[in-house]
Amino acid sequence: MNNDSVLKIEKLTKIYRLGKRDVTPLIDLDLKVQRGEFVAIMGPSGSGKTTLLNIIGCIDKTTSGSVLLDGVDLAKLSESKLCRIRREKIGFVFQSFNLVHYLNAGENVELAMELSGKFKGERRRRAKELLGLVGLSGRELHRPSRLSQGEQQRVAIARALANDPAMILADEPTGNLDVVNKEAIVALLSELSGKQGTTIVMVTHDEQVATKAQRMLTLRDGKISCWNTNDSI
């Protein structure tokens, strides 16, 4: 793991106005994620996990504090620049896979590259390479309906890697999977971090899944209340 921070959050506070009252899911939160690190975020419902992921992913903005991704403060960017950061710097993996059902596996991965300026042949080669990386060589022409749920999530991970992002954000990536596929997907994420140097921040409610990350943090009432380090990885 490289010894530099790809993500640095300082004094992050987020306040939502709901009717006549304020809701504060995040309060003065500090967090650093090193390049190539695999971090798991746990916490009860309402603890701020999704809000934190949305802010890191440029989907939502802070009320105060700073969020630096590759040294760029997201809080100071316009919507158009945030959109570009989302496209070029962040890869997303969702619980429900979010694949386009009428596109095959290769085309789903290529879709992430369509706005990157790559030519069709280059996109196709990259998609084939990434599907091989996630264990789906030879499945490029299969549509999601012909793939198992575990395979669909592998396609989603390949798609998240398509533009060489600074970070992958995984929101409950094993939530729809059975035990066997859950273990396989977590092992794949761990391998991507350990061998490929991919930075991954994962939200999960599953402690067994979280323990496979290099570092586990718990959010409670908008603050980091507990740190655990898995020294075996």
Side-chain angles (χ1 to χ4, degrees), residues 103-109 131 139-143 147 155:
L103 299 180
N104 62 40
E107 290 167 339
N108 266 282
V109 177
L131 288 171
R139 310 301 293 277
E140 295 89 355
L141 300 181
H142 286 60
R143 291 186 179 181
L147 299 172
V155 174

Side-chain angles (χ1 to χ4, degrees), residues 63-79:
T63 300
S64 62
S66 62
V67 180
L68 274 67
L69 179 63
D70 262 357
V72 176
D73 192 347
L74 303 181
K76 297 179 179 179
L77 298 183
S78 65
E79 287 297 332

